[in-house]
Amino acid sequence: SQQGEEDPQALSIQEGENATMNCSYKTSINNLQWYRQNSGRGLVHLILIRSNEREKHSGRLRVTLDTSKKSSSLLITASRAADTASYFCAPKGSARQLTFGSGTQLTVLP
Amino acid sequence: KAGVTQTPRYLIKTRGQQVTLSCSPISGHRSVSWYQQTPGQGLQFLFEYFSETQRNKGNFPGRFSGRQFSNSRSEMNVSTLELGDSALYLCASSLGPNNEQFFGPGTRLTVL
């Protein structure tokens, strides 16, 4: 299956620090997407990185992709309390649907 | 551009009833996918519609069904509700199967 596994399951940091979360997957992909979900709400699309890309930036977000290791990482710099949320990766292969792991629960303490 | 909208946002039903949830995709998006999210099972794919045809289906019983209209709006129906159907139901739309999926706010279904 194309399910991504996020690591760590939970992360707690102070405001202003950087947060790094990782994603591993098992089969080849066309792209990998990262999403954020605030408690009980819909998912917000953060970044899509294609299999031929190694790094992508969006504001305070930096995503890397290493297809040889079948892994991706999401870095949030200068974190804020508003970044508190669950973060999911969704590796996208030939299957039409996205498959999600359990996510990383990020808590940013003021 | 307006985002994905879902109605209703909250719903309370009793066991045995049926329910219909609605999703309006972003204008121009022809692919609509549905997901169920529960604390125990996480986010699980239900089905995807593209150009009014179901293209893919997750591992859910036949009580879960859906359809898509010519304007790309989609509905999902759950018949003979069970307590375990209590969940957040999320709809996502995209231009196509390899594009970003944009999610709606979800419908919180509670089955009593």
Side-chain angles (χ1 to χ4, degrees):
Chain A
S1 112
Q2 217 38 277
Q3 181 173 331
E5 292 297 335
E6 296 89 353
D7 176 70
Q9 288 190 322
L11 181 60
S12 187
I13 60 174
Q14 295 292 135
E15 207 164 23
E17 293 180 337
N18 295 341
T20 300
M21 50 206 88
N22 304 295
C23 169
S24 60
Y25 56 93
K26 293 183 178 174
T27 60
S28 61
I29 60 171
N30 295 323
N31 64 62
L32 186 142
Q33 303 177 39
W34 283 92
Y35 289 84
R36 182 187 77 226
Q37 184 179 35
N38 293 88
S39 181
R41 300 192 177 187
L43 276 71
V44 174
H45 184 268
L46 297 176
I47 284 186
L48 180 151
I49 186 166
R50 302 193 187 283
S51 60
N52 60 353
E53 298 175 308
R54 291 296 166 258
E55 189 171 311
K56 206 161 181 180
H57 295 252
S58 177
R60 294 182 297 111
L61 307 180
R62 184 182 80 133
V63 167
T64 61
L65 179 64
D66 186 334
T67 52
S68 66
K69 294 181 179 178
K70 292 187 170 58
S71 68
S72 174
S73 68
L74 170 66
L75 168 68
I76 304 174
T77 60
S79 62
R80 305 166 182 168
D83 294 329
T84 294
S86 292
Y87 291 81
F88 297 90
C89 71
K92 183 74 171 61
S94 57
R96 294 178 70 94
Q97 75 269 24
L98 294 178
T99 309
F100 296 90
S102 303
T104 292
Q105 173 60 51
L106 173 66
T107 301
V108 181
L109 303 169
Chain B
K1 210 180 231 189
V4 178
T5 58
Q6 292 186 245
T7 56
R9 292 292 311 279
Y10 302 91
L11 205 48
I12 299 176
K13 292 284 188 179
T14 56
R15 278 183 301 173
Q17 288 187 309
Q18 76 165 26
V19 67
T20 299
L21 312 182
S22 181
C23 171
S24 292
I26 291 171
S27 178
H29 285 192
R30 295 166 62 191
S31 174
V32 174
S33 298
W34 289 90
Y35 296 83
Q36 180 198 64
Q37 187 176 31
T38 59
Q41 299 297 320
L43 273 160
Q44 292 188 290
F45 171 75
L46 280 158
F47 26 66
E48 183 220 350
Y49 287 86
F50 185 84
S51 295
E52 301 177 65
T53 302
Q54 186 180 93
R55 303 292 178 147
N56 204 1
K57 191 176 194 300
N59 189 25
F60 279 82
R63 301 185 296 106
F64 292 81
S65 63
R67 58 179 176 168
Q68 186 180 36
F69 302 94
S70 58
N71 62 358
S72 293
R73 189 177 69 86
S74 177
E75 289 181 346
M76 67 162 281
N77 185 278
V78 188
S79 62
T80 320
L81 284 166
E82 299 176 0
L83 295 179
D85 297 333
S86 294
L88 180 66
Y89 290 88
L90 294 164
C91 162
S93 79
S94 64
L95 285 170
N98 283 318
N99 297 94
E100 300 94 320
Q101 291 193 11
F102 295 90
F103 284 76
T107 293
R108 172 75 63 184
L109 171 65
T110 302
V111 182
L112 303 176

